[in-house]
Amino acid sequence: MAIPVVGVPACVKTIDPHPFHVAGDKYVRAIAGGAEALPLVIPSLGDMIDPAEVIPRLDGLLLTGSPSNVEPHRYAGPPSREGTLHDPARDAAIFPLIDAALEAGLPILAICRGIQELNVALGGTLHQEVHHVDGRDDHRADESRPVEEQYGPAHTVRLTKGGHLARLFDAEVITVNSIHSQGIDTLAPGLSVEAVAPDGQVEAVRLDTARGFCLGVQWHPEWRYEENPQSRILFRTFGAAVRAYATARAHASAA
């Protein structure tokens, strides 16, 4: 059987002075090594690419993190603070892609901005700046510190008793990194909470009605995934779901 393919939507970034479609190295390596699948970067070209043409060529979808925030008009939120980084091209591409992936039952793993995109796609809302919400902690990394420290252990999360992650990790509490300002506010219909930070911020979700694997985490398991037991388990489980989907698709095509 051919190696399964996982789509990785790109961010649009300007580099001296041209726009590029980019995906972080840590994500593509985690898919290649941790999930044992072929990462395929999908350019954010909006309606120039029909999701109906993309999804049948994939066996899974990774929704990555990004320095940018989802534009607030996507969830009827107030205007962003001046200077907030957005990526309207990614927004335009990703939401139709998520809808098509869910319709096809494609395995989905959503990370950081990805969990926020999943929540918005299903009708939820976001806090644009969690650190300005009463009772919430500052979940941002200190960018003055070395990157290894930014992605180091930051706080615990309590896993939902009987939930998918609690069973997967065989744990009640794990320690995660924290590199985000945006976060889930109103949980979308159909999503269940899988993990919560000590301040009450939702840190992981699953889609109850998904036809296949569909899980989102607010932390960054892709960062040096091979050094963290929960990260290894998460990507290995996602990879197994991707291979099962690919096998079923191959059998359906041969029938």
Side-chain angles (χ1 to χ4, degrees), residues 5 37 96 144 161 175 188 204 237 254:
V5 177
S144 70
K161 186 175 181 179
T175 300
T237 304

Side-chain angles (χ1 to χ4, degrees), residues 93-218:
I94 199 66
F95 289 111
L97 196 63
I98 292 172
D99 291 344
L102 291 172
E103 178 66 25
L106 201 68
I108 298 174
L109 177 58
I111 295 173
C112 198
R113 189 192 210 266
I115 190 179
Q116 298 157 12
E117 292 168 337
L118 181 64
N119 190 56
V120 170
L122 293 168
T125 65
L126 303 176
H127 294 303
Q128 294 185 45
E129 296 179 307
V130 172
H131 49 287
H132 286 159
V133 177
D134 287 344
R136 292 290 194 264
D137 297 329
D138 190 339
H139 288 253
R140 298 173 297 175
D142 183 350
E143 295 184 355
S144 70
R145 308 299 297 172
V147 67
E148 291 82 6
E149 294 183 21
Q150 293 181 41
Y151 279 86
H155 61 74
T156 59
V157 296
R158 179 162 295 277
L159 307 179
T160 299
K161 186 175 181 179
H164 186 73
L165 286 181
R167 296 193 304 271
L168 200 60
F169 299 154
D170 189 23
E172 296 179 356
V173 176
I174 63 171
T175 300
V176 301
N177 52 32
S178 187
I179 306 148
H180 66 101
S181 61
Q182 191 171 240
I184 289 177
D185 179 8
T186 303
L187 193 67
L191 288 180
S192 291
V193 175
E194 283 280 326
V196 178
D199 64 355
Q201 184 61 41
V202 172
E203 287 277 334
V205 299
R206 76 176 186 277
L207 179 59
D208 298 325
T209 57
R211 291 168 49 197
F213 181 102
C214 186
L215 192 67
V217 297
Q218 184 58 72

Side-chain angles (χ1 to χ4, degrees), residues 75-100:
Y75 51 91
S80 297
R81 179 177 53 81
E82 185 177 353
T84 300
L85 180 62
H86 292 297
D87 188 346
R90 171 158 168 163
D91 286 353
I94 199 66
F95 289 111
L97 196 63
I98 292 172
D99 291 344

Side-chain angles (χ1 to χ4, degrees), residues 9-12 21-22 42-47 49 87-94:
C11 298
V12 177
H21 294 258
V22 300
I42 304 170
S44 290
L45 294 174
D47 58 11
I49 296 180
D87 188 346
R90 171 158 168 163
D91 286 353
I94 199 66

